[in-house]
Structure formats: structure tokens, C-alpha cells
Amino acid sequence: MTTLDVRQLSHSTRLREVSFSANNGQLVGVIGANGAGKSTLLQLLCGVVPADSGTVWYQGDNLLQTPMLERRQLHGYLPQNPLVETDVSVTHFLQAGLVNLKIKQPASELARVVDSMQLEPLMGRPVTQLSGGEQRRVHLARALLGNQPWLICDEPTASLDLYYQLQVMEVLKAQATQGKLVTIALHDLGLAARFCDRLLLLNQAELLAQGTPAEVLSDENLAQAYGIKARWLCTDEGVSLLPSLLTSTSN
Amino acid sequence: MLRHSVLLIFSTLLLLVIHTFMGSSGWGYQHLGDAAAVILFDIRLPRAVLAMLNGIALGVAGAVLQVIFRNPLAEPGITGVAGGSALAIVVVLYSGLSLPISGALPLIGMFGGLVSLAALWLIAGRHTSGLRLILAGVAVASFSGALLSLVLNLAPNPFAYLEWSLWLLGSVANRGWEQVYLLLPSMAVAFALLYWQRHFIRAHIFDPQTLASLGFRQNWSLWWVLAGVTLLVSASVVTAGVISFIGLLAPHLARLLGEHRPPQLMLLSGLGGGALLLLIDAVVKLIPTTVELQLGVVAAFIGAPWLVILLMRQTR
């Protein structure tokens, strides 16, 4: 049985009739230009925003009719720009993030996540006084609490330096390798090509293409969705993308 | 946190004792003669206890509103909750539907407060974290104030007009144990509601998107929290009139003590509110005026400049 089966999912003008499926053990990247509908799709998947129409079947259950408390046990969610205004410590922040999770040993769950995200040095510091990148890691750690089978992250590498971008992608890849379904929105096509098993390319609120990175990141799709042409650098370590504007006058 | 709580509890109890033994005729009780017991236990003590309980109720209400609206300027008076409660209570008293001391009055005030909050919600929409909430609150408070003035203007006799006007200014003078007994059950129910929803309140340290993904039935929880807050405010309005700014000052007092975690902030804000209102009422008793100043007036004199400072900080 397919783990996730999304059919004709729509939300006003921000997303129109998106259908796709995905399985446990996959890292699924949602890509597209600004305003293409990436965040809206993730918000609809995790129930933060109600869908106008369509269905989201997860392991045989219609999620759009599943109570939020039950959904809390199914997926963790990291929004695009979470802002913390309350001056609490990282420890308190993560402890509060355990709310409504049905886990037997919250302390050991907290320790597991702190360890995997290398947050130990930050634990006593107020969240509001952390750098943007440190805050991002803390937020991702909060989303990882509970060890749910499905992880939904909106631009998890935003505002991170190169070291932590790779670290976060390694963590997410490891989650998928452990058998979870991981759905992330990404702007960095190089990271998407290197780490994701499947890609969904959104363009103007519609799904333009889906499949493996090689299938989706074609010249034609990139030109249509981003207005760019790309050269790919392939090494044993992975791939990297050199973009240039289709309408560029620089050369 | 524990150290600050103990300190605030000790300060509150000390102020309670000082307040009780302090009167217009002097300090202590020996000079009161045979009437000492009556004056101390039937007049001064209920007044002090009422001031303390009102301070606790308003302090907790203010802290909860600031947490759930994510706005350090939110307060029962500014958000129009107190005005809505006062209006509902005056209308019911005016029409003769209820006696001045009735267990139904806090519930009636709660209804008025909830209507005010619903109006606030309609005007401010989702923008509860900025100045828009305050502007919407001013609009709601002004409208309920205008309606209140209209009701007072149509008062059947000048004595009723004067009595209601003085009550609205906020005071705990000339109150007895019956007001305390009216306030306590409402506070108990409200605190039970807030304790029940403590995880939801605590989760407001997260941004709205994250909060929405944490498994709460948000609207359901929010209304129970707001019911608790309006019950606290309306019970305070019934027993002591409209006392503004305590709900604003007390949470900031708790933050000055270094506490930002929502549950702990509520606790310290309640304790701080109790101590603060006892202190202000002691000042009211000390100021040598021909007619005793109203508690709400003195609280506003202290609170209004504080609001201006906070507004200047937020807009900077």
C-alpha cells in the first residue's frame, strides 16, 4: 500500500489540484520558484491550513478528517519562518515541544534529539538570543521530537551556513533511511538533486513535474518553472548546479 | 522562580497585615476600643483581602491575554473586556433583573466580556500581535464606554447615577465579606479552566503555524481560555468596579523578575498583581483627601505612564 496518496488537493488560488504519492523511506523534495505553492502544499499536508478540496490518504486514513491530536502522532512539522518572541531557554522550548506527544519517556526523547542535532552547547541559552542558523536548528529539533513516521519541513536549510546545511540534510536523509517519509520544501536545487529520492516541481500553484531528480530537473522544466538554464557539475561526492538566467544579457 | 514566588507571597501577606492595621484614624488597633474587632475583621480585613484577590485575578488575566495575543500591551481594560463586563452588569442592574450581590452577576459580566472579545476579534482579525489589537481594543472599549454613559445618563435617579459612576471608577472601600465570597468561586472556576488549558497557553511560545500543528483543537481551547479570563475580569468588575492597568503592570513586573515562561509568568503575575493592588489601596488610604480617592483612579495614574513607555518601546 502506498504510504501517502494525495489527490486533487487545492486551496483557493494558492494551489490547484495537486496529486502525487510517496512511500516510507523516501526523502521527497518540493521545489519551485517563490510563490509557486511549496509552503501551501506543506501546510495543507500537515493540516495547518484547511484544504478547499481534494484528499490526503496516509496509510489508508483520510487525514483531512483525522483529529489534530491523532495527526500529531503521525507527523512533525517545521514551518518556513517560525519566529520566537518569548524569551525562554532552548531547554524549555524543546520541553514545551513535547506537548501532546504520546511517548513514554519524554526525557530520553529530548536527549536523543539534542544529541542528533548537536544542541548541547545551546541548551541553557535564551532562544531569542541565538543566531538565525542556531534558531533554525532548534526549530528543526523541535519538529523531530516524537519520532513520528512522517516529517514535513519547510525550507529546513534556510539561513544555515554550508556546514549546517549539509548536516541538516544528512539528518533528514538518515530519517528517511530509517524508514520515515520525509517531505521538504527546498530552494537549493543542488541539495535537492543530491539528497532527495523524489522531487515535486510546482509552478504557478500547479504541479509541473514529479519523479526522480534526473527526470524533474530537465532543462525544459527549469526553464519553465524558474526561467533559468542550468549546467550540472557531477563528482563522486554529488552534484552541483550552475544556474544562469535565460534572459541574461551578461554574456 | 521559587525564590521570587516566596518573596512575592511574603510581600503580599506583609502588605495584607499592614493594610489591615492601617486606617484613617491611625495605625494599630488599641485606639479603636470596643469596636476594634468589628473594624478590623468586618471592615478592614475584607477590604484588604478583596484588594489582594482583585489584584491576583487581574494579574493572571493580564498575563494570559498577553501570552495568547502575543502582545505585551494586551490587558483587560485596553482590550475592552472590562468595559464589556461593566456594561453587561450595569444593564442588568439597571433593568432590575439582578440584585447587586448575586452569584449570577459574574456570569453576566463574563457574557459581556466575551461579546467584547468577539468584537475585538472581528476588528483586529488575525493581527493580534501588533498595535492593531490595541487600536481595536480602544474602539471596543470606547463603544462600550459610550453605551455605559448612555445607560448612566438615563439612570432613574441622581443617587443611582452617582453610585454606579463611583463603582465604575474602581474601589474596594466599603466592601464586606459578601463581595469576597462572590469573587472567590468565580476565581476558582476560572483558575480551574486556565489550569485545564495550561498546555495550550504554554504552547504560545511557538509561532502560530507551529502551534497549529501541535495537536490542539485551537478554537475550542482558545474559547475556554478566554472564558476563564473574562470570568476573572467580570468577577473583579462586579466586586470592585473597573480597575485598569493592573493586568498590564503585573505581567511586566514578573518579566522584570526574569520570568518569561507562560505558566510561571501567570503565577508571578497573579502574586505581583495582588501585592500591587494592596500597595495601591494602602496609598489610597494614606492620601489625605476630603473624599477618599478611588482605587481605579490611582491605579490608572501609575499604569497610564507605564503604557506610554511600553508603546514607545514597541514602536521604536
Side-chain angles (χ1 to χ4, degrees), chain A residues 34-55:
Chain A
N34 288 333
K38 301 186 296 294
S39 295
T40 303
L41 175 59
L42 297 195
Q43 287 167 349
L44 292 173
L45 290 179
C46 71
V48 167
V49 169
D52 289 343
S53 61
T55 53

Side-chain angles (χ1 to χ4, degrees), chain B residues 36-95:
Chain B
V38 174
I39 290 172
L40 282 180
F41 296 111
D42 290 342
I43 297 174
R44 290 189 190 171
L45 189 60
R47 174 176 176 161
V49 169
L50 199 61
M52 180 186 72
L53 292 178
N54 267 287
I56 291 171
L58 294 172
V60 172
V64 175
L65 284 177
Q66 290 184 11
V67 167
I68 60 168
F69 285 142
R70 305 168 196 278
N71 191 327
L73 300 175
E75 192 256 353
I78 295 169
T79 49
V81 180
S85 292
L87 176 63
I89 292 162
V90 165
V91 167
V92 169
L93 289 176
Y94 179 84
S95 57

Side-chain angles (χ1 to χ4, degrees), chain A residues 171-220:
Chain A
V171 167
L172 294 174
K173 187 71 181 172
Q175 299 283 319
T177 310
Q178 287 163 21
K180 292 185 184 181
L181 171 59
V182 182
T183 316
I184 59 172
L186 274 178
H187 266 303
D188 189 323
L189 298 182
L191 289 176
R194 180 171 168 183
F195 287 95
C196 294
D197 302 302
R198 286 176 56 78
L199 290 179
L200 307 173
L201 175 59
L202 293 174
N203 183 41
Q204 296 180 348
E206 289 178 357
L207 186 61
L208 179 65
Q210 59 175 316
T212 64
E215 290 166 351
V216 171
L217 297 173
S218 65
D219 290 347
E220 189 184 338

